[in-house]
Amino acid sequence: EAEDAVQEAWLRLVRQDAATVDNLAGWLTTVVARISLDILRTRRARTEVLLDDRLPELVVTVDDGPAPEEDAVLADSVGLALLVVLDSLRPSERLAFVLHDLFAVPFDEIGKILGRSTDAAKMLASRARRKVRETERPAGAGRERREVVQAFLAAARRGDFEELLRLLDPEVKLTVDTSTGVVVVLGATKVAAGARLSAGA
């Protein structure tokens, strides 16, 4: 979608007489932002596009010490988490937040792009920041997740079916990418049985 927005902006620039544009950077920022808004609004109307279809699966690893590859995985996870959070924002909030906080575009320019006042653009960015802060992960979540993963792996190694069932959500979904395609296993009983069978592997 980002490439589509840039390509559309380029096509508009080619059709426009560039000599008549006083501020090319401002013109491009405005055009790309408005095209992006249109894409976001269209995406909201297309409810059949799910976030799961656009984001790759996150991989959870358990280790005692940080390693360089874990830093890379963490950076990717943070990027994906930010995408999830941004997807929860309204298009105008997202645009104001991204343009100001990530690209340092002044609020008066953002207001012109959105067709709103400078104060309204500030309010949109502020509302987006508040939503982003509210969705931050609790401090102890990482430790709790590691404990659950370690308990699950220990129960799987022992073949303790009852403990596996206790640890799993009844509606757990396990997605496995294989050479023949994606295999989806639904339900705690089936996932626990598969974990117990593969315990010796």
Side-chain angles (χ1 to χ4, degrees), residues 7-110:
Q7 184 176 23
E8 177 63 25
W10 174 254
L11 291 173
R12 290 185 189 186
L13 180 62
V14 169
R15 289 191 298 258
Q16 173 82 22
D17 182 10
T20 62
V21 178
D22 294 333
N23 180 354
L24 186 59
W27 187 91
L28 287 170
T29 301
T30 301
V31 170
V32 171
R34 287 185 177 160
I35 293 169
S36 299
L37 271 175
D38 291 342
I39 291 172
L40 290 172
R41 289 181 180 131
T42 303
R43 184 194 298 163
R44 292 269 185 234
R46 290 192 330 253
T47 54
E48 74 275 5
V49 178
L50 300 175
L51 188 61
D52 293 340
D53 296 337
R54 290 182 283 125
L55 295 178
E57 293 285 329
L58 293 179
V59 177
V60 178
T61 57
V62 180
D63 198 356
D64 294 335
E69 63 272 10
E70 289 178 9
D71 290 339
V73 169
L74 178 61
D76 288 344
S77 300
V78 169
L80 292 172
L82 182 59
L83 285 177
V84 171
V85 171
L86 288 177
D87 206 54
S88 69
L89 302 177
R90 292 188 358 241
S92 53
E93 291 173 340
R94 186 189 312 192
L95 187 81
F97 174 71
V98 169
L99 285 180
H100 183 267
D101 289 28
L102 300 181
F103 295 103
V105 175
F107 283 119
D108 57 338
E109 287 185 35
I110 296 171

Side-chain angles (χ1 to χ4, degrees), residues 6 55 77 108 120 122 129 164 180:
V6 171
L55 295 178
S77 300
D108 57 338
K122 287 180 184 177
R129 269 186 232 105
L164 287 170
T180 58

Side-chain angles (χ1 to χ4, degrees), residues 91-171:
S92 53
E93 291 173 340
R94 186 189 312 192
L95 187 81
F97 174 71
V98 169
L99 285 180
H100 183 267
D101 289 28
L102 300 181
F103 295 103
V105 175
F107 283 119
D108 57 338
E109 287 185 35
I110 296 171
K112 289 175 189 172
I113 291 169
L114 292 171
R116 301 187 184 195
S117 69
T118 302
D119 289 338
K122 287 180 184 177
M123 183 57 74
L124 287 168
S126 174
R127 194 177 305 141
R129 269 186 232 105
R130 189 169 46 253
K131 287 180 180 179
V132 168
R133 277 194 302 270
E134 287 170 0
T135 57
E136 286 179 354
R137 189 173 65 173
R143 187 184 73 252
E144 291 170 6
R145 285 183 182 173
R146 275 194 301 279
E147 290 172 0
V148 169
V149 170
Q150 288 171 342
F152 177 84
L153 292 174
R157 285 186 198 107
R158 291 192 311 268
D160 189 345
F161 188 74
E162 297 301 320
E163 179 66 8
L164 287 170
L165 284 178
R166 189 186 72 73
L167 289 166
L168 291 171
D169 183 294
E171 297 179 14

